[in-house]
Structures are given as C-alpha cells and as structure tokens.
C-alpha cells in the first residue's frame, strides 16, 4: 500500500531561501507568516494529510460514492469524519478574509497545503478545493448581502461549494450553453437546465452545498455575451444563515469515471431552482474566470501532487526490490540480487520525476506569491506586474504540470514492473486519478491556446516581455559565476529557443492564425521547460549560498545541485525539438481533408 | 460506444506495394498467399474482429473474469461463443505447420490479423495469442512425441496454451526462480511452486490448457543456468489425445488489474503437478526465449492495436463534436459551431497517431517477413541475415510501439475532453488496456537493455551494421530524387544521429557500462524514430510510384505522402533530443546516493 510524506522541508527551503517570502512582509497576512508559524502550519497540515487523508485514498477508489434513490449521495467510508477534522482545523479558510472567519494567511500557504492534500487524497481534496474557488468568486463578485450570507459558512467549511459550467453539448465552448434563468419578480431567478461533470455536486460532507451556476437570462444575447452567474444553494438559507427549504435541484446520476472515484461527479438537474445573480447580468463569464483561474492553479497542483506521491513510492520500491545486478558489479553482494535503484534506467525515471517535482513546486509557489501580491499588494504597479505574471504562468502551470505529472505517474508505475498494474499496490490509481487533471478546467490544448492566443498578445506582450526580462537578467547576473555555469548556460539556451519561438509567432501567426494553433502545445511546454529551468537556477543559487554559509543540512543542498544539473543536462534538450516543431508551422497539420484521416 | 474497422487496405498496400511480398514466393506458404487470397483472408478476419470480437470489448472490461470456489474461472459473457467461432475459422493455426493441421500461411499474415484481433478486443486476443507462443516453443524444442500429442490440439484451438515465468520475488531476474521439478522416475517430473501474473492461466474457453512452465530440477545449478522448461497440462492427455485425469495444479486467485479485465490473470499453484521436460535440462531459458520473442512482437502489435482503435474513434469524435470556431473563420457556418477537427491542436494529436500507426504497421510487417524468412527460407545466409534483423528490431517494436501506442491512447482520450474520462465512452479502457503492454514480456527498460547491451554488440555488431547499410543505401539511392527529398533528408539526419549515438556507446560504454544503461531507453526510441522514418520513406516511394502509374486510389496515396511529411517535420526532430541525452552520459543519473532520492 502506498504511503506519503509531506515535503515540508522542501517547501520551507523554497519559501525562505529561494523565494524570500520575508520580502513581502508589507502585504496583509505575510507579517503573520513568520518562518516559525509557517513551519508549524505546514507540519500540522502535513500530519493531517499523512495520517488522516492518505489512508482513505484507496478506500475512496474502491468504494467510490453511492447515489441513493432519493438523489442523495454518500461519500466513501471515512470521508465524512476526515472532512470534519479538516474543517475544524480551519484548513478551508486558511487564506480567507478574517472578516468572514478566515485566517487571512497568504494564499501561497494554501497552495502548499493543497499539494499535500491532493498528494494524500486527490478525490477528497476536491471537495474543499472547489469551495476555495466559490469563496474567491463570491468575495470578488458577490453583493454585500451574498457575502454576509454565504462566506462565513463557506470559509468555516460548514457549507461546501461547486462550479456548474459544462452541459452535455458544451464544455470548452460555453457560448453554446442552454441552462436558462427566468426572473421570479422578487430579485431571484428560476434556474432550469442540466449540467454534467459537476465535481462534488452532491454529497454528505456538509449540510448545504452552494452551487455557482452559469445560465442565460431569458432574452439575453446568444453566445458568451449572454451568460450570467448565479448562486444556487441546495438548501435555501434562512436570513440568519440557517437551513430553510430544499431547492428544486438535485443529482440525477453519478458519472462512472476512470478515476477520482472518491469524488462525486454529478449530473445536476435544475428544475426551476431559486438562484440569485452574482455580479452583473450577462457578465457571468468574467466572474466564472475568477473561479477558473483559481481552479487552474489548483489543477496544476494536482498534477504535481500525483507525481510527488507516485515518486515517493517508486523510490521506496526501487530501494527494496531486489532484481538483477548492477552493470558495474554487485552492489549488494550479500543479497540474492541488487536493489533496482542501482540501474541507470530506473534512476532515469526517478530523476525525471524528482527534477520535475521540485521545480514544479517552486513554480507553483512563485506564482502563488504573484497571486498574493496581485490581490493584496499596496502598490498598483506592483499588483499589475504580479497579475500579469500570474496570468501568463497559469496556463503553463495547468498544462505542463498536469501533462508531465501524469507521465510521471506512468513512469512510477513502470518502476514497479508487473506489480504496478495490480490494483492492490496502488500505483495504477495514481495514473487514473492524475489523468483527469489534463482534461478538466479547460483541456490542456485550451490552456495552450489561452497562452499563445491571449496571454502572449495581451497589452502588447507586456507580461511575456517582463518575464523574459526577469529571466534574462538572472542569466546576465550569473553569467560569469563558475559555480552557476551548469545551470545558467542551459537556461540561456532554453530561453533563446523560447524567444525564437515567440518571434516566429509574431512573424508568422498574425496573417495565418493556424500557425499559432499548430505550435501552441509545443510553445506551452517550451515555456514550461524554461520556467522550470529558471526555478532550478534559482534553487541552485540558493543552495550554493547556503553551502557557502556553512548550512547544517549540506546534503540537502548538494542533492539540490545534482538534481538541478540532471534537469539541465537531460530535460532541457527537449527545447530544440519543441522549437523545430513550432517553426515547421501549420501546413503539415492542415494538409488533410477531414475525410482523409 | 467505440467502433472498429480493420485497416485491410493499408495492410494490402504494405504487403503488395511497399514490402513486395511476391518476392518471397520461393518460401513455403508464400506461394499460396497470392494477393487475392491475402485480401480474402484479411477481409474475412477483419469482419470477425469488427462484428464478433469488438462488440465484446466493453463487456469484457465491465464484467471481467470470475473465479469460483473450485478454482474454475468463467470468462466474460460471449467470450466462449466468440472463441468457438475464432477457432472454427482456423485462425489459431493460420500460419502453423500443415503437418499439425495448420494452414501454413506466412506468419506475416498472422501478424496482420493479430493487430486486428487486439484492436477489436485485446483481452480476448491474449487467449489465442499466448497459444501461438506455445506452438512455437513446442514446434522448435518439443520432442516428436510432445509435438504429436499437443500440436494438433493447439493448432486447431481445441486446447489453449500459457507461459509461466514470473514468481512473486522474480520477474525480470529469472535466475531467482524457485519453482522446483522432481523426477518421478517415469520420465515425468513433479512440479511444485507458485507462479503469478499468468495470463489465461485458467478459463472456460477450452477443455484443456497446456502450461509451459519454467522450473528448477532438483540439484540444478543456481541462477539462470539451472532453469528448465516443462509442459504441464491442466488435464493429463490420454495417449490418443483424449482427456484423462486432472493434474495437480490450479488457479489460486485472479489478480485485480488496471485493465485487460477480460483476460484471466492468475496466480497459479503447482502442487506436484505432472510435467514433462521440453528440450534439454537446464536449457529452459533458451526455449522460453523462443516464446518470448514471439510474444514480444505480439506485445508490440498490441501497442499499435490500441493506438489504432483509439485513433479511429478520436477521428470520428473530432468530425462530429461541434465546439468553438476555426481560428481562420467558421468552417460550418450553418451549424452552431465547427467540428473540432478544424483546430490545429486537435489535428496535431490525430496526425501524431496516424503517422505512428501506419509506420508501426509497416515495421511490424517488415519484421514479420524477416521472421518468416529466418524460419522458412532456403538460403542459410539469407536466413541468418533475416534473423539478425528480426532480433535487432524485436526490442524496438516491443518498447517503442507500446510506449508510443500508450501515449496515443492518452491523446485519443484527450480529443474527447471530459467524455474521455467517462467509462461509457470507452476511451479510458483503451488507456488502461494499453498500459500493460509497456510492462509485460519484459518491461520496456529491459527491452532497451536487450537492444543496447545484447543486440548491438552481438556478432561484432553485424545486425546493426547491416541495418545501417540498408537504410544508408536507401538514402543514397534517392538522394537526388526531388519528390523524395522531404522524406530522405530528415531520414538521413535521423540516421546520422543514431549512428553518432552508436559511436558514442562504442567509445564510452565499454569502460563504463553505466553509460550504456543511462542511454538505453533514449537509444531504443531513437532507433524507433529512424526505423519508422525508414518505413515512411519506403511508403512514400511506393505511393509516388503508384501515382506515377496512374493508380485508381490516388487520394489514398496523396494522404500517405502528406502523412509521411508530417512525420518527417514534426516527429523526427525528437532525434536530436535523444542524442543530447545519450551523450550526456551516466554521471547526472548516478550522482545521488540511494538515500538522497
């Protein structure tokens, strides 16, 4: 059975040594997050994940959720008790506004904790995870009355939330959505329609579920310009926040899925359910994007999370499993065979995972800090710059961390040989669970288009230029530093390839947009390569400084330096293949008629 | 629900136009395989797969196999009837020796049919598939008596066969195996031990199951030099081939697996079961390798098969699903949205699959012809040359076709968006089923080591040098042919990279074997890239010739030429990344202590 250990030491290294979180003490919440407080919080959160959530991961997969004839849904055995502990520990509202009962800590801390939760039990983590998105949407777009009514209950975790976008005929293309909203005359609307793939749509973890639902108000324009966002509670709250009547909505069926069986994925039927407009009419998509951006970072973290837990178990197996001998002579001559970790090809799989996980964690936290600055910073220019970079990196984190995270679960399963295919060993569950992250909250191809079609061009390329400048300055600053040479040289060649690709788009995609679409996924992965490489270069700098300063945990830093070198030598070369594909353009892709496939 | 159409036209193009099967008419079986006969056989076999086997694919997954208290195993509903049709159609013995009731046709035809069967229903196909390996092992290594007793029953499909290698503590490292064989004094042995992961180990498809079992004769040397192969029937045959007493063996449990639920994967217990030595004592591994090589090609075909069926369904979905608009303006303005096949990034996924599937099919058939020549050819030098090339390409086919085949099932699932994750759409089953092919019959890392550590060096590099010469001559022959330039140029650059990598191993891996292990998987994939590119170049030449000759199916050939260009422009660039990783050597992989992971 798999185990899990939260990578607390690594997060502390990133926050303190690499990202210098103390620099942000002028931002609300950060001053409270002293190194000691952060350490205590992460250790406590880590323990909860290791001891309470992880042991429920397999039962969640095997038992799944059950829908009863009355439409109610039971979560897997143990989930309800675990959720009570989770909510009582204040984890739902860790970074929420203290005005509504939150702890007001940096969202960056929530991001770190979200990784731990998802590594331990991704299906469980989705229940409070979606609630974080609902809190964000209501905080930014809700009326004062809505905030007062819903936020305290959501922040405390007493109630949970959902997002309702997808319909049978529309996922990516929300302009096609049909769910309709008819004014009731009292300020509320009657919502009618069917939503599918609704994670945590119905369950027994909380007394109420607050659905945020996209619908079209009668007479609204067609397409995406006529979509509004509504808050539609499962149980209508009384004005004092108690539970009133049951609303006219329910779970029509549970989807049978490849994985994340512990989360209830519902077909939701709205039959004239009472809902209230959130934000302006016909501007629902903008409000939903607040949740989506939050959710996309969360999904990227899920990709990392499965890679991390799968890696940890693959390492344990590779150290224990005796099979064959090292090519350079027996390493455990007293045993019938050597542990398979002696074999270079096994190490190749493990090092790929390790080099990815640590850089991906750094990139998540780097981006989460931008998020905190963009929401809470006092300086408008600084907020804007942070928002630019967060917006640029969001599709990269979602797309690259889930694609590569999934590949890594497959590699970790491979380390187990035949046992990897057997359910009781638990590795195949990581593969099945990780797979969804490439699909939901915008399939990864959509992330790539968001990056290339929207984020690159926005504001005359302001975001990407700022990021190129930052990375380029880092390269210049360290170009004569011999100890940094193994990191800076490959980072520069990756950056050069990325800049060439960007230039190629500027020259070739304006007149012929298919050239952008044809290169979008490669571009996203190329940017991911460079972004992760930039994280490695920063980690190397921090570890070199720590070693210079006589750090106690020298072996931690030496391992960082070696792992970073691996990334530069073995992962970064992929940049040239991406560049070659991007600059080959769209012709070979568009050459066939649809009938010729 | 997924559908399937056997790619008969493509196989006929490969056999007739590309590989020139008529050139082998001097080899037994080939003269009977006239173009008309081959076409009729493939069409009939294709229909069986499309109409009988494919409709059972999902029920096999959802119902799986059931073990009863008496140790008997029931296959999924419909499998038994379907198997009866399969055996009655003579498909088990299609290429088996007519002396034992086979049809004696080229094994190349079986390879083509095996793809169809596995595409339609991979779990079903494993029952007769393993029997083909048992037939091969008994044909080459069995005594005349064993052949007379078992082969007619296996060739007719009345009985089925298995391979029993793996034990709980040993998979890759067979030297550790513990199952023991004690002479009974009557020429037979008493076999005792536990085998795991035994595909088709017990079932209700046939009255008898002929197990081929690796065991160690009492007093035999330790390690791989003391392993013998035994034939151990489930029911002891009477001398006239009837059914006698039940043997002391049985299925102790069924494994719960990620996929291929329709195949019974058994823990097999041998409790002094009566068995007979096949071939020489202590030389069992050699005999088992006959089955393994057969099986490895078969597993490579499985990788292709899942990629092909997943591709076919992804194309259908991409043509039907309306979502969003083309970047270059509406393509279906009369509809609410365009079919998603208009989007370059969707085409990228489809073209990757198509370009792989067609070249992989060519490589399978190219290698299968080498197999036929090596087994049946009259000229010893020709046989040896064919065997060299088949041996060289076997690990490439197993490793590359299953790695890439799996990736393609993931991409095909991605085309479906959220529906890809839902069981009833059937795409996630392809992913789960395809996953096993990367693991069994030697995990792909082992294939890479077999290639780099054994096949490259064997006989002073004779096989790889012969293949380099063949590909190099093809390149030289067409280097001034303008129409071939888009294919020959990239093929040459791929071949150059592969030759540089080979040279690098020669210079750097003799003294330091970890350098070979560290580059083995990249080398295998690099050789796969070039081998598939070579197939594309040959297909392009054949299609150009057909178009020059005024072929009727011009659009078929034009599509070939476009698909080949896609491969050269978008797939071949990966060669440089493989080369960079190979030549980075082992240092970055071996730098960490086992405890530092």
């Amino acid at each position: 059975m798999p185990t899990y250990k939260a990578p607390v030491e690594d997060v502390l290294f990133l926050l303190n040594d690499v990202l210098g979180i103390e620099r942000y003490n002028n931002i609300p919440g950060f001053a409270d997050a002293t190194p000691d407080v952060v350490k205590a919080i992460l250790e406590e959160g880590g323990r909860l994940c290791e001891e309470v959530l992880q042991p429920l991961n397999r039962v969640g997969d095997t038992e799944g959720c059950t829908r009863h004839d009355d439409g109610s849904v039971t979560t897997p055995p143990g989930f309800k008790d675990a959720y009570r502990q989770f909510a009582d520990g204040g984890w739902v509202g860790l970074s929420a506004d203290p005005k509504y009962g939150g702890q007001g800590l940096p969202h960056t801390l929530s991001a770190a904790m979200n990784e731990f939760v998802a590594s331990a039990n991704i299906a469980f983590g989705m229940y409070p995870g979606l609630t974080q998105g609902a809190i964000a949407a209501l905080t930014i777009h809700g009326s004062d009355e809505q905030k007062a009514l819903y936020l305290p209950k959501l922040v405390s975790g007493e109630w949970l939330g959902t997002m309702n976008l997808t319909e049978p005929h529309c996922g990516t293309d929300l302009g096609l959505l049909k769910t309709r909203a008819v004014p009731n005359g009292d300020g509320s609307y009657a919502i009618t329609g069917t939503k599918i793939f609704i994670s945590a749509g119905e369950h027994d973890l909380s007394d109420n579920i607050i659905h945020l639902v996209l619908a079209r108000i009668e007479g609204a324009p067609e397409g995406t310009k006529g979509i509004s966002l509504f808050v539609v509670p499962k149980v209508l709250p009384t004005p004092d926040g108690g539970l009133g009547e049951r609303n006219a909505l329910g779970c029509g069926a549970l989807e049978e899925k490849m994985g994340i069986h512990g989360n209830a994925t519902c077909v939701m039927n709205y039959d004239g359910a009472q809902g209230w407009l959130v934000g302006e009419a016909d501007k629902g998509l903008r409000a939903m994007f607040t949740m989506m951006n939050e959710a996309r970072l969360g999904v990227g973290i899920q990709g990392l999370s499965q890679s991390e837990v799968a890696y940890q178990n693959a390492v344990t197996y590779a150290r224990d499993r005796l099979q064959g001998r090292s090519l350079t002579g027996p390493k455990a001559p007293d045993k019938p065979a050597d542990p398979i970790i002696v074999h270079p090809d096994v190490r190749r799989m493990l090092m790929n995972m390790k080099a990815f996980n640590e850089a991906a964690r750094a990139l998540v936290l780097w981006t989460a800090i931008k998020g905190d600055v963009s929401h809470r910073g006092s300086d408008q220019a600084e907020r804007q710059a942070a928002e630019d970079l967060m917006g640029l990196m969001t599709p990269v984190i979602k797309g690259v961390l889930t694609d590569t995270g999934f590949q890594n679960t497959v590699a970790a399963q491979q380390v187990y040989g035949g046992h990897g295919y057997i359910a009781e060993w638990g590795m195949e569950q990581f593969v099945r669970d990780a797979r969804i992250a490439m699909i939901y909250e915008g399939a990864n191809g959509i992330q790539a288009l968001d990056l290339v079609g929207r984020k690159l061009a926005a504001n005359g390329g302001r975001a990407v230029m700022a990021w190129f400048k930052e990375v380029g300055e880092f390269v210049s600053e360290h170009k004569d530093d011999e100890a940094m040479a193994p990191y800076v040289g490959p980072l520069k060649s990756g950056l050069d390839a990325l800049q060439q690709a960007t230039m190629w788009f500027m020259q070739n995609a304006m007149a012929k947009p298919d050239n952008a679409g044809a290169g979008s996924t490669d571009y996203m992965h190329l940017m991911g390569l460079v972004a992760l490489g930039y994280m490695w270069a920063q980690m190397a700098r921090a570890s070199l400084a720590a070693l210079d300063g006589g750090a106690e945990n020298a072996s931690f830093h030496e391992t960082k330096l070696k792992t970073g070198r691996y990334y530069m030598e073995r992962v970064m070369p992929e940049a040239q293949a991406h560049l070659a594909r991007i600059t080959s353009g769209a012709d070979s892709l568009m050459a066939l008629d649809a009938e010729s496939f």
Side-chain angles (χ1 to χ4, degrees), chain A:
Chain A
M1 289 280 291
T3 58
Y4 173 64
K5 183 90 179 63
V8 172
E9 187 184 10
D10 203 42
V11 173
L12 294 174
F13 165 70
L14 291 169
L15 294 178
N16 298 324
D17 297 2
V18 181
L19 302 172
I21 196 175
E22 78 283 356
R23 282 186 288 147
Y24 301 96
N25 273 347
N26 60 328
I27 293 174
F30 278 72
D32 299 335
T34 63
D36 287 350
V37 167
V38 168
K39 184 163 185 277
I41 289 172
L42 291 175
E43 283 174 350
E44 190 190 334
R47 254 193 313 277
L48 181 70
C49 295
E50 293 160 9
E51 295 170 9
V52 178
L53 304 186
Q54 196 277 333
L56 297 175
N57 194 43
R58 180 141 159 75
V59 72
D61 187 56
T62 52
E63 301 287 321
C65 297
T66 310
R67 180 183 177 278
H68 306 285
D69 289 341
D70 64 356
S72 66
V73 170
T74 309
T75 53
F79 271 43
K80 196 168 175 173
D81 284 348
Y83 178 68
R84 197 40 51 210
Q85 289 185 59
F86 188 88
D88 289 350
W91 295 107
V92 180
L94 189 68
S95 54
D97 193 335
K99 194 160 112 192
Y100 302 109
Q103 300 190 48
L105 286 160
H107 180 70
T108 304
L109 268 191
S110 291
M113 178 65 177
N114 286 347
E115 184 204 324
F116 300 173
V117 172
S119 282
N121 194 325
I122 184 173
F124 176 93
M126 290 169 68
Y127 294 101
L130 285 157
T131 302
Q132 289 179 0
I135 291 171
L138 287 170
T139 301
I140 297 173
H141 303 284
S143 67
D144 289 342
E145 197 186 342
Q146 287 168 348
K147 289 184 199 179
L149 187 58
Y150 295 108
L151 284 179
K153 300 283 188 184
L154 290 169
V155 166
S156 71
E158 187 178 339
W159 297 351
L160 286 165
T162 73
M163 293 168 63
N164 286 240
L165 289 75
T166 306
E167 300 180 5
H169 55 284
C170 76
T172 300
D173 188 354
L174 288 170
L176 302 176
L177 80 77
K178 292 179 180 166
T179 296
R180 60 189 197 280
V182 180
N184 285 328
D186 62 354
S188 73
Y189 290 78
I191 312 287
T192 301
T194 298
K195 296 286 181 177
I196 62 170
F197 305 159
I198 306 308
S199 299
E202 175 60 38
H203 55 75
D204 56 359
L205 298 186
S206 59
D207 295 334
N208 203 0
I209 302 173
I210 308 307
H211 301 289
L212 288 168
V213 181
L214 287 186
R216 199 181 292 282
I217 297 173
E218 256 191 335
E222 288 196 1
T224 54
K225 293 193 167 63
I227 297 173
S228 304
L229 180 66
F230 296 88
V231 56
V232 191
K234 170 182 163 184
V235 182
L236 296 167
T238 56
D240 61 349
L243 295 173
E245 275 180 54
R246 189 76 158 71
N247 207 349
L249 63 92
C251 166
L254 291 180
E255 304 280 6
E256 289 197 27
K257 313 183 296 287
M258 184 183 195
I260 51 168
H261 295 155
N263 198 277
T265 306
C266 301
V267 175
M268 294 298 294
N269 297 321
Y270 293 85
D271 302 310
Q274 197 173 10
W276 288 266
L277 188 63
V278 177
E280 288 177 61
D282 301 343
K283 297 277 161 72
L285 228 48
R286 207 171 58 188
M288 199 47 121
F289 267 114
T290 304
M291 293 180 74
M292 289 282 280
N293 274 330
E294 194 90 10
R296 284 175 175 181
L297 286 175
V299 173
I301 291 172
Q302 289 182 336
L304 162 61
S305 77
Q306 298 305 288
S307 177
E308 172 66 28
V309 67
Y311 164 76
Q312 289 187 14
N313 286 281
V315 168
T316 303
Y317 189 83
R319 285 193 194 120
D320 291 348
R321 174 76 172 173
L322 306 178
Q323 205 78 181
R325 289 293 182 191
S326 164
L327 294 173
T328 55
K331 296 289 172 286
D334 53 321
K335 293 184 176 156
D338 289 336
I340 62 173
I341 203 166
V342 305
H343 302 303
D345 192 64
V346 171
R347 284 172 167 257
R348 176 186 61 80
M349 295 188 273
L350 297 177
M351 289 299 294
N352 269 342
M353 294 181 232
K354 182 176 172 63
F356 167 79
N357 293 344
E358 296 178 14
R361 183 173 299 120
L363 187 61
V364 162
L365 297 177
W366 183 91
T367 307
I369 289 179
K370 304 294 176 211
D372 275 321
V373 172
S374 78
H375 291 129
R376 305 180 183 183
S378 51
D379 180 74
Q380 175 54 26
E382 197 183 26
R383 286 170 64 133
Q384 184 62 60
E387 193 181 319
D388 281 356
L389 290 176
M390 183 180 67
L392 180 71
M393 219 43 82
T394 295
V396 176
I397 285 183
K398 198 289 185 180
V400 175
L401 269 55
T402 62
D403 275 357
T404 311
F406 171 75
Q407 285 165 18
N408 286 349
T409 63
V410 173
Q413 181 187 26
Q414 191 74 11
V415 171
Y416 277 66
H419 298 99
Y421 203 66
I422 306 297
E424 66 175 316
W425 289 80
M427 299 305 287
E428 58 93 37
Q429 185 187 344
F430 298 136
V431 176
R432 289 185 290 104
D433 286 356
R435 182 66 185 86
I436 188 59
M438 297 158 70
I439 298 173
Y440 62 15
E441 303 305 340
N444 285 356
I446 299 299
Q447 305 299 324
L449 275 184
D450 176 48
L451 175 65
V452 169
R454 210 172 289 148
K455 300 292 170 63
L456 281 193
N459 305 303
R462 190 174 69 198
V464 74
M465 290 306 156
W467 188 69
F468 285 165
K469 184 159 176 282
E470 178 177 330
V471 183
E473 284 175 358
F474 183 96
V475 167
S476 301
E477 198 184 324
H478 297 92
K479 76 173 171 0
D480 299 325
D481 180 344
E482 206 173 318
M484 284 294 286
Y487 311 97
V488 169
L491 175 60
K492 181 172 188 314
S493 77
L495 181 64
D496 287 349
L498 181 61
Q499 289 180 319
Q500 283 178 56
T502 311
M503 187 71 75
W504 191 88
F505 280 148
M506 288 171 65
Q507 291 165 345
N508 295 281
M510 303 294 177
K512 196 172 163 189
D514 277 342
N515 276 334
S520 56
T521 288
D522 277 294
Y523 188 90
M524 176 177 77
H525 278 281
L526 178 52
M527 185 174 278
L529 266 182
V530 177
L532 297 174
Y534 178 43
M535 294 300 122
W536 268 119
Q538 290 191 69
M539 289 190 277
R541 177 175 63 174
S543 279
L544 285 167
L547 289 170
D548 275 353
E552 278 177 31
N553 53 347
S555 75
F556 174 91
H557 295 293
E558 282 155 9
T559 298
K560 279 279 169 207
L561 291 169
K562 290 170 182 170
T563 309
R565 283 186 82 133
Y566 176 88
Y567 184 89
M568 296 300 173
E569 288 185 19
R570 289 233 162 207
V571 184
M572 198 59 104
E574 202 63 35
Q576 299 304 321
H578 289 304
L579 180 62
R581 281 193 285 267
I582 292 165
T583 55
S584 79
D587 290 352
S588 71
L589 282 170
M590 307 312 286
L592 297 194
D593 295 332
E595 307 76 50
S596 299
F597 278 85

